[in-house]
Amino acid sequence: MSDSAIENLYSEARVFPPPEEFARQANVSDPAVYEEADEDWQGWWEQHARALRWMRDWDATVEWSPPHVKWFVGGQLNVSDNCLDRHIDEGHGDQVAFHWEGEPGDARDLTYRELRDEVARFANALKGLGVGKGDPVTIYLPMIPELPVAMLACARIGAPHSVIFAGFSSQSVVDRVEDADSHVLITADGAYRKGNVVALKDNADKAMNMTDLIETCVVVGRTGEDVAWTEGRDHWYHELIEGQSPDCPPEPMDAEDVLYILYTSGTTGKPKGIVHTTGGYLTQVAVTHRLVFDLKAESDVYWCAADIGWVTGHSYIVYGPLANRATSVMYEGAPDHPGKDRFWEIVEKYGVSILYTAPTAIRAFMKWGSEHPEAHDLSTLRLLGSVGEPINPEAWMWYHEHIGGGRAPVVDTWWQTETGGIMITPLPGITATKPGSAMTPFPGVKAVVVDEEGKAVPPGGGGYLTLQRPWPGMLRTLWGDDERYQQTYWSRFGPEIYFAGDGAKLDEDGHIWLLGRVDDVMNVSGHRISTTEVESALVDHPLVAEAAVTGRSDPMTGQAIAAFVTLRGDRKGDDALAAELREHVSERIGKIARPANLLFTDDLPKTRSGKIMRRLLKDIAEGRELGDVTTLANADIVSQIEASSKEE
Ligand code: WTA
């Protein structure tokens, strides 16, 4: 194998065909859908766009002038109209849109009509504050109902929103406010997190002291903290909406008008403002949500346990589910507050039938032990989803068995902030899944794994994931920086090929396995080895809860593999176990991948969206000075790991 491609090491023989009963009732169960969508991909997306309510029909389905795309050109619609009014007009105003559950245990149900009325009131209030079509509004809110209300109110009047995760710092707010040139900020007095109160308005005040762009600040009362107040600038949300009319006609928007900006932190440089537009985006999130999660609006209780501050929450808590008239659970807080069974308590309480969460959460549940889910009735669950990182086969199996009772199909969904919606995924009524694989491109999507030269790799090969046909939910540009857009995504293999930045491999059957970010690939004696495969081999060992590996420089082999391992339950690591684990990797995927160093640790450094920060572990493994750790969810663990790594 050439040293430019990524090696294909881990193999997996387990296969889980859709249970017959599931396939029989599935929203899609005929595999012909793949061929149909492939032959006429424009027609396929168009057919799903027709399911939405348009105010004006489009003239052209797609205009592709690489690397820029427009979908449903000339068509007009409003996202909030499609997510709310359409369902009320069809007689479903009394259906619950959100079962909202607060961290302290308070709860609130919002029907589609209640949600629409509150959205319209707040939309009128925003208008009263001078917010108009095209004015970017920054939203810095915790997981409370006012967050989707604010997003939908913006969508109703055509103001693009920029949501900032409530765990981010004042500096992050300043960077994003300035990049977006936003003059309105919506925040809350405080946020609950693991039983504590985070002083959100305080953070917002600090941010507003660092930039003078914000002229209007709307504050939602959540925790009842005393907050500093700037007269003229600050307004209480509840006072603003009081007395507002629940009648606010949705603004007709062009399909290509901006719906939102969402910033993703790049590994280098300032955050990128990913731009999503209206018609194509809503089409893709709606159809993927309906087919991948097999959503039945009448009977399902759907729960995406992400934070709306990330794209997963934008697409699969707010826009996709509401477009499909789903009844959703929305949970404010941490999975281990007050107990490590909080999620399972919620599943039981609301009778959740579809659960969508991340591998990092699943591995935490594994570590905490199966007694927590076992203490609750999870029999309503009929489908499980995963997103955010490669899911290790053992985590997949645990999820399938301990949460899904061995009966619920698991869909591992690959996508990015940039793609807007799910791109590679099983369809639960069709696909025989393999633990750890995202399997196949969604119908109409053309995903190709290529080598260094951009040539498609054959089954059994590894390389880079690319997308070779435009899709409706595609990012349109980076806010205010089209050149960086072209550079980042469309220069590696030319302007018609989207470079996702992820390594991937094809197995012998042509199914896709994601291998993590390309920057995470190691080079050991000329073999390009994916961190994900070595991590999966470690997690495959029954005592291991979670593992992160990174390459460190080595005079002999170029790079050597350093592994950081957390164990299940209260188990402590020692030299004998370290040796056993290194041997286990060697047996599972080959000697070349055996970690040179293996360190046991209580936790791994994670970003706030739960992704392991391998860059920091690499600095530790190299004995380098550590960079900024303030964006970590668990900064303390870094100094602990650093200390024990020096002892070694
Ligand atoms: C990773 C989250 C493997 C990948 C929706 C991607 C995954 C990045 C998967 C995007 C998956 C997401 N398997 N890797 N199922 N899902 N990723 O923008 O590296 O927060 O490029 O979007 O997460 O992260 P983002």
Side-chain angles (χ1 to χ4, degrees):
M1 163 160 302
S2 82
D3 67 358
S4 61
I6 302 171
E7 308 247 354
N8 191 338
L9 298 171
Y10 195 94
S11 72
E12 176 58 63
R14 292 168 287 199
V15 178
F16 296 83
E20 230 171 85
E21 213 178 309
F22 191 99
R24 218 175 306 123
Q25 59 79 61
N27 288 348
V28 51
S29 50
D30 182 357
V33 69
Y34 287 103
E35 251 167 66
E36 281 165 23
D38 217 39
E39 270 162 26
D40 179 13
W41 53 276
Q42 299 191 18
W44 160 259
W45 293 115
E46 187 166 33
Q47 165 198 336
H48 295 292
R50 294 255 173 248
L52 301 173
R53 178 151 86 180
W54 293 79
M55 296 165 167
R56 184 186 183 280
D57 204 356
W58 55 88
D59 309 312
T61 309
V62 56
E63 271 177 29
W64 176 221
S65 48
H68 294 105
V69 77
K70 289 181 179 164
W71 283 85
F72 312 118
V73 188
Q76 288 191 327
L77 74 168
N78 181 284
V79 166
S80 114
D81 175 59
N82 271 281
C83 289
L84 304 168
D85 306 66
R86 182 166 56 111
H87 308 316
I88 298 166
D89 296 347
E90 287 168 5
H92 301 289
D94 294 330
Q95 185 180 321
V96 171
F98 287 116
H99 293 293
W100 176 79
E101 167 106 357
E103 192 186 76
D106 49 341
R108 181 179 166 196
D109 279 354
L110 280 119
T111 64
Y112 274 91
R113 183 173 296 104
E114 287 164 341
L115 186 59
R116 193 269 315 265
D117 289 355
E118 182 145 340
V119 165
R121 282 198 182 92
F122 189 48
N124 279 329
L126 286 174
K127 279 192 198 167
L129 291 167
V131 180
K133 195 168 174 171
D135 299 339
V137 172
T138 301
I139 304 177
Y140 182 49
L141 284 174
M143 285 285 285
I144 53 178
E146 289 79 3
L147 173 49
V149 167
M151 294 162 76
L152 290 158
C154 286
R156 200 165 187 91
I157 62 175
H161 57 70
S162 162
V163 175
I164 303 175
F165 174 55
F168 274 150
S169 65
S170 321
Q171 186 61 52
S172 318
V173 176
V174 173
D175 294 344
R176 287 158 176 75
V177 159
E178 290 189 335
D179 189 81
D181 190 25
S182 167
H183 301 274
V184 181
L185 176 67
I186 303 170
T187 188
D189 50 357
Y192 289 112
R193 193 66 194 175
K194 288 203 191 206
N196 300 317
V197 171
V198 181
L200 210 58
K201 174 63 163 56
D202 232 38
N203 287 351
D205 283 334
K206 283 190 196 119
M208 289 185 284
N209 285 337
M210 289 189 265
T211 174
D212 44 21
L213 283 184
I214 298 297
E215 291 155 9
T216 304
C217 177
V218 178
V219 187
V220 179
R222 168 62 182 137
T223 54
E225 306 306 297
D226 278 339
V227 292
W229 205 254
T230 302
E231 283 304 330
R233 184 196 66 190
D234 297 351
H235 308 265
W236 284 110
Y237 172 89
H238 60 269
E239 290 176 1
L240 280 179
I241 61 167
E242 212 180 69
Q244 293 285 354
S245 156
D247 185 22
C248 174
E251 186 71 30
M253 300 298 289
D254 281 340
E256 283 299 326
D257 278 338
V258 176
L259 175 62
Y260 68 80
I261 313 163
L262 181 58
Y263 287 87
T264 66
S265 20
T267 35
T268 53
K270 67 177 175 100
K272 302 188 283 257
I274 307 293
V275 174
H276 283 297
T277 57
T278 301
Y281 173 80
L282 194 64
T283 299
Q284 185 170 344
V285 295
V287 62
T288 50
H289 181 258
R290 199 168 65 77
L291 300 187
V292 174
F293 299 111
D294 193 48
L295 195 274
K296 308 284 195 288
E298 296 70 35
S299 50
D300 275 313
V301 178
Y302 163 85
W303 182 19
C304 168
D307 192 291
I308 293 176
W310 313 116
V311 75
T312 304
H314 279 60
S315 298
Y316 297 107
I317 297 178
V318 182
Y319 294 118
L322 292 177
N324 289 329
R325 189 170 46 90
T327 293
S328 293
V329 168
M330 176 177 166
Y331 172 54
E332 180 182 37
D336 54 351
H337 187 83
K340 290 188 162 56
D341 64 340
R342 184 65 187 271
F343 266 36
W344 318 122
E345 192 184 289
I346 292 174
V347 168
E348 182 172 0
K349 174 172 172 190
Y350 295 102
V352 172
S353 56
I354 303 168
L355 176 66
Y356 191 29
T357 187
T360 181
I362 297 165
R363 291 187 303 255
F365 299 139
M366 286 171 78
K367 187 177 156 95
W368 295 340
S370 56
E371 64 271 24
H372 301 293
E374 273 157 20
H376 295 276
D377 178 6
L378 307 183
S379 61
T380 49
L381 285 171
R382 66 178 195 93
L383 181 68
L384 302 176
S386 172
V387 62
E389 272 187 295
I391 181 165
N392 321 97
E394 280 320 298
W396 194 105
M397 288 301 299
W398 189 91
Y399 196 31
H400 179 63
E401 281 166 15
H402 293 276
I403 307 304
R407 69 184 180 271
V410 176
V411 289
D412 173 18
T413 63
W414 178 90
W415 58 294
Q416 307 176 297
T417 307
E418 290 86 344
T419 68
I422 293 170
M423 300 295 283
I424 305 177
T425 177
L427 289 175
I430 297 178
T431 314
T433 53
K434 299 173 184 171
S437 172
M439 303 297 294
T440 1
F442 186 78
V445 169
K446 188 173 176 194
V448 185
V449 181
V450 302
D451 65 16
E452 202 75 26
E453 278 80 51
K455 279 212 320 278
V457 305
Y464 306 94
L465 180 68
T466 64
L467 301 167
Q468 305 205 354
R469 189 190 275 160
W471 64 99
M474 187 174 122
L475 81 163
R476 298 303 194 255
T477 186
L478 294 180
W479 185 260
D481 199 348
D482 194 64
E483 203 180 309
R484 189 174 178 203
Y485 163 75
Q486 305 197 27
Q487 263 304 317
T488 310
Y489 306 107
W490 306 94
S491 63
R492 182 75 174 74
F493 300 108
E496 298 197 33
I497 299 182
Y498 175 87
F499 173 52
D502 281 353
K505 69 177 190 182
L506 289 182
D507 65 17
E508 296 299 335
D509 306 320
H511 294 131
I512 299 176
W513 296 69
L514 277 309
L515 299 176
R517 303 295 299 166
V518 174
D519 346 317
D520 292 339
V521 171
M522 305 169 292
N523 194 324
V524 183
S525 308
H527 298 266
R528 302 205 2 113
I529 296 174
S530 123
T531 54
T532 301
E533 294 204 305
V534 181
E535 286 162 8
S536 287
L538 283 164
V539 177
D540 181 65
H541 191 284
L543 293 177
V544 174
E546 190 158 45
V549 312
T550 176
R552 61 158 176 80
S553 26
D554 182 278
M556 292 297 293
T557 55
Q559 281 194 319
I561 300 177
F564 299 81
V565 171
T566 65
L567 296 174
R568 286 209 211 180
D570 297 327
R571 179 65 199 230
K572 291 273 166 280
D574 53 29
D575 288 351
L577 183 58
E580 185 181 325
L581 293 181
R582 295 173 64 232
E583 201 41 44
H584 184 77
V585 174
S586 180
E587 275 164 27
R588 196 68 184 75
I589 61 180
K591 244 190 174 133
I592 184 76
R594 180 161 56 192
N597 312 82
L598 195 146
L599 194 73
F600 295 102
T601 149
D602 293 337
D603 200 358
L604 295 166
K606 306 245 175 83
T607 65
R608 305 207 179 204
S609 64
K611 296 188 206 287
I612 297 171
M613 284 277 273
R614 289 186 191 72
R615 180 175 58 77
L616 275 176
L617 293 172
K618 194 180 179 73
D619 288 345
I620 293 172
E622 301 270 15
R624 270 200 297 264
E625 190 87 6
L626 296 184
D628 182 22
V629 297
T630 53
T631 59
L632 290 184
N634 51 354
D636 310 348
I637 195 67
V638 176
S639 40
Q640 268 182 49
I641 299 177
E642 208 184 4
S644 37
S645 145
K646 279 182 183 142
E647 270 167 33
E648 241 213 341

